[in-house]
Amino acid sequence: METRERLIEATRELLWERGYVGTSPKAIQARSGVGQGSMYHHFQGKPDLALAAIRRSADELRARAETEFARPGTVVERISAFLRRERDVLKGCPIGRLTQDPDVMADPDLRRPVKETFAWLTDRLAGLLAEGRANGEFGAALDPVATATALVAVLQGGYVLARAADSAEAFGRAVDGALGLLAAEVRRP
């Protein structure tokens, strides 16, 4: 792996584990095995490197979600595959955790990819739900945007509950509950 990639990956891991303040240039250098001179050759400073790392995490989240959303099957099956995919639940969401970081949220550049990722996820889910409503999978009363927003909230809240309980079971119950509510919206032939 080239130097720039090692720096980005080390920063992604540290942001996920420690947050922005806990991700010092020294910690990045130690994790990546890259010296200070090389770090500043590739990035202007910590904010520039953090932005690259946050964007990478956002891109990865979108790509993994799109894999599930684009698969064959009903809308409920595709959303279920996304919500139930393998995750490191107790570490939390690498993007969602950043919303609790005051330094990230106070910086418009660092906040932007976080905001855009949640907007994309909500819009993508709303599009799937609208597709399901249009093809008759759901009744006309289903509100795709409100339902998509609720699904994103359940997903992020599930991470919080799991971390608080130190148990992935809490996340699983939140997902089961959301999918149960969604299944109740499915039209029966």
Side-chain angles (χ1 to χ4, degrees):
M1 186 182 303
E2 66 180 64
T3 301
R4 179 176 167 74
E5 291 302 310
R6 289 198 328 255
L7 286 164
I8 291 171
E9 287 304 312
T11 304
R12 285 179 66 204
E13 292 168 8
L14 289 165
L15 284 170
W16 197 5
E17 293 167 13
R18 303 179 183 182
Y20 186 77
V21 170
T23 302
S24 68
K26 190 173 196 169
I28 294 166
Q29 292 162 22
R31 177 78 56 103
S32 67
V34 172
Q36 183 176 357
S38 292
M39 184 172 141
Y40 290 104
H41 170 75
H42 291 283
F43 297 96
Q44 294 176 5
K46 178 181 165 180
D48 187 38
L49 178 52
L51 181 57
I54 293 168
R55 283 183 177 150
R56 177 73 55 81
S57 291
D59 290 346
E60 183 179 285
L61 183 146
R62 288 179 188 195
R64 291 184 76 190
E66 192 56 44
T67 297
E68 304 303 338
F69 296 152
R71 69 187 309 163
T74 66
V75 170
V76 171
E77 288 168 346
R78 290 182 279 160
I79 291 174
S80 180
F82 166 69
L83 292 175
R84 294 187 189 282
R85 77 168 170 76
E86 190 172 325
R87 300 173 157 83
D88 192 347
V89 172
L90 295 180
K91 280 182 77 174
C93 173
I95 297 298
R97 286 195 62 184
L98 294 172
T99 65
Q100 300 302 311
D101 192 314
D103 295 296
V104 172
M105 292 296 98
D107 183 318
D109 291 331
L110 297 178
R111 182 185 187 137
R112 188 171 299 109
V114 175
K115 179 181 173 182
E116 289 171 352
T117 299
F118 283 119
W120 174 86
L121 182 57
T122 303
D123 289 347
R124 187 66 176 93
L125 284 164
L128 285 171
L129 293 163
E131 173 189 323
R133 192 173 66 184
N135 72 20
E137 186 176 345
F138 302 115
L142 179 96
D143 181 334
V145 175
T147 305
T149 303
L151 289 172
V152 172
V154 166
L155 180 67
Q156 292 303 311
Y159 282 119
V160 170
L161 293 173
R163 288 176 55 83
D166 195 28
S167 169
E169 288 178 29
F171 181 89
R173 284 192 303 273
V175 167
D176 289 346
L179 291 173
L181 292 171
L182 190 60
E185 294 295 325
V186 173
R187 289 181 56 187
R188 307 292 176 223

